[in-house]
Amino acid sequence: MGNLGFQEILLIAVVVLVLFGGRKIPEFMRGLGKGIREFNDAKNNVKKELEEGMKEKDQASTTTQP
């Protein structure tokens, strides 16, 4: 399942072209790009919030210890 050769990728591209048509592909790719961008933004926000929370926890634990 892991190895896709040139012929397989070409066959998939031809099938997508036939199914969606030449005019729908740019619109589809634009939507896919927006979705990936939104996913990455959300992922980065969650990562940033976790890092900030860990810093706050470390600061709180160091200030309360003698």
Side-chain angles (χ1 to χ4, degrees):
M1 165 105 192
N3 294 342
L4 285 179
F6 178 73
Q7 291 178 343
E8 289 87 2
I9 293 173
L10 184 63
L11 179 65
I12 291 170
V14 168
V15 169
V16 168
L17 183 62
V18 168
L19 289 177
F20 292 107
R23 295 180 185 216
K24 291 286 185 178
I25 290 177
E27 186 178 315
F28 175 72
M29 291 306 218
R30 200 172 303 121
L32 183 64
K34 283 183 179 179
I36 291 172
R37 193 175 320 116
E38 289 177 8
F39 175 78
N40 284 332
D41 289 344
K43 179 184 70 166
N44 291 336
N45 286 338
V46 168
K47 183 178 178 183
K48 185 174 122 182
E49 288 179 16
L50 285 173
E51 288 173 352
E52 288 174 359
M54 291 174 66
K55 284 181 185 177
E56 289 176 6
K57 181 182 174 187
D58 288 342
Q59 288 174 353
S61 67
T62 57
T63 58
T64 58
Q65 292 179 356

